[in-house]
Amino acid sequence: MALVLLWQLASSTGVLPPEKLASPLTVAQSAGELIADGQLLDAFTVSLGRVFFGFLIGAAVGGASGLVSGLSRWGETLLDPPVQMLRTLPHLGLIPLFILWFGIGEEPKLALVASGVAFPLYLNLHAGIRQTDPGLVEAARVLGYSRFERVVHVVLPSAVPQTLVGLRIALGTAWLSLIVGEQINADAGLGFLINNAREFLRTDVVVVGLVVYALLGLTTDALVRVLERRILRWRTR
Amino acid sequence: MANPVSVRGLHKAFGARTVLDGIDLEIAPGEFVALLGRSGCGKSTLLRILAGLDRDVEGAAEVQGTVSIAFQQPRLLPWRKVWRNIALGLHRPDGRSVALKALEEVRLAGHADAWPLTLSGGEAQRVSLARALVREPDLLLLDEPFGALDALTRLAMHHLVEDLWAEHRPAVLLVTHDVDEALLLADRVLVLDEGRIVAEHHVDLPRPRRRASVVEQRTRVLADLGVDVETAA
Ligand SMILES: Nc1ncnc2c1ncn2[C@@H]1O[C@H](COP(=O)(O)OP(=O)(O)OP(=O)(O)O)[C@@H](O)[C@H]1O
Ligand SMILES: [Mg+2]
């Protein structure tokens, strides 16, 4: 709050010229305008859609491969070494490849988000499954539970906490990937709004876009936290 | 009725290391047997074989009827409330009422909806016992279930186990390090050493037994375990 006041003061006194950074009041004003003429909502919807579908694809890929390599020996032999190798590479470095493969439309943006999601989910799900206490699995075995039932009742539930950690990292990465991805020739979405504003030196609109990015990130993070608290109620100590 | 446990010429080796070297053991229905032996002599290994957790053996280890086991750690699923952990042993939809009854038997009626991580060690162990008993086993395997408990809780658990056994009458094989515990609870005490059963004591004392009444047999069992009481005391 104090920071915003200081910022407004700096802008009003001319220390901070509007072409470097618009004043909070201007920002709020243009936010109002962007909301009123629907531009912000459109951009927001497009960006949210990208994160959503990118996330779905990434979660499906990361989740499925995490399950396969966590639950089966051959799956681990097959999947884990290449994934462990690839994960040392920051996925944002894949942009040039994605552009070559998918062009400059929606696909590379989705692919970027998806790859940002798939890795943390895979790694944490796999680790979570492998960390299952063999003693619990044994106890279920003596109670007559089949292998499938043991996976459902013991292995997967015990992988949940670690998977939620992965989910939170994945969502953070998803927003990061979106922001970077939308710098590639975006023709719609928050990235487009920001890039466009930059061309016209509209720092107020740039700031509005950034604030929306930040709010979105915070919101999803808070959602996961709530989810965590609900699902992990048993970890009361 | 066939014996719940019928073991003949059982051998078990881990690689080159032989752990069980020709075990013969019959346990009659409803019989309470305690198994003593120094650490690493193969007691848990024998129990795991009887529980069907290890089938890579030589010789015959036949078990009749339903088997339950309570381990040294309670091994409860922490993400399931206490009553659901007990219902886990049932494979039945009407689990709650049965679980509540079992909880009452181990004197934990008020903890049905607690999370396992909030229980004390003794409480968790009692839940584990209830989970084992709720299946009405013909054979109850107990692998040092009181090992980690303090002396007072242990004493309470002895009474509890004795009562539950008198009530349900499963055959029991109790692994323990505690000679007194074995003599207070069991009809028969076995001593395992070097992969063989080297001694067998029948305990024909009325129940409930007192510590004073088992003193005499205690000395003999300790001798079988290689402890000279005169110098140890
Ligand atoms: N999975 C395994 N692989 C290799 N060796 C094993 C395995 N399980 C047990 N052993 C060995 O078998 C021997 C007997 O082990 P076991 O757990 O049956 O001993 P125990 O009598 O129960 O001892 P304690 O009283 O300390 O629990 C030990 O020497 C142990 O190292
Ligand atoms: Mg043991």
Side-chain angles (χ1 to χ4, degrees), chain A residues 135-136 138-139 141-145 149 153-154 157-158 233-234 236-237, chain B residues 48 52-53 69 75-80 88-89 91 115 117-118 131 135:
Chain A
L136 295 183
E138 242 177 46
R141 218 172 116 196
V142 184
L143 293 173
Y145 282 71
E149 288 172 318
H153 291 289
V154 184
S158 79
R233 261 173 319 170
W234 53 269
T236 43
R237 240 289 175 230
Chain B
R48 290 172 50 80
L53 288 171
I69 184 164
R75 301 201 185 176
L76 305 175
L77 301 183
W79 51 85
R80 290 200 178 205
L88 205 64
H91 278 277
W115 296 111
L117 289 180
T118 64
R131 180 177 69 185
R135 288 151 54 81

Side-chain angles (χ1 to χ4, degrees), chain A residues 146-207:
Chain A
S146 66
R147 177 165 158 76
F148 177 76
E149 288 172 318
R150 294 198 296 272
V151 167
V152 171
H153 291 289
V154 184
V155 177
L156 294 183
S158 79
V160 165
Q162 191 67 45
T163 308
L164 284 173
V165 171
L167 181 67
R168 250 174 77 188
I169 301 173
L171 279 171
T173 324
W175 289 115
L176 181 70
S177 311
L178 175 79
I179 294 173
V180 175
E182 289 195 329
Q183 307 292 315
I184 321 169
N185 186 280
D187 49 8
L190 288 169
F192 170 70
L193 195 76
I194 291 176
N195 266 344
N196 225 18
R198 190 198 57 204
E199 308 234 327
F200 297 99
L201 298 179
R202 288 287 302 273
T203 53
D204 51 340
V205 178
V206 171
V207 172

Side-chain angles (χ1 to χ4, degrees), chain A residues 124-139:
Chain A
N124 286 282
L125 181 56
H126 175 261
I129 290 174
R130 290 286 152 175
Q131 277 163 12
T132 306
D133 176 358
L136 295 183
V137 180
E138 242 177 46

Side-chain angles (χ1 to χ4, degrees), chain B residues 14 17 19 38-45 144 177:
Chain B
F14 292 107
R17 174 159 156 54
V19 177
R38 61 185 78 229
S39 183
C41 73
K43 305 182 294 296
S44 297
T45 305
E144 299 185 49
H177 279 132

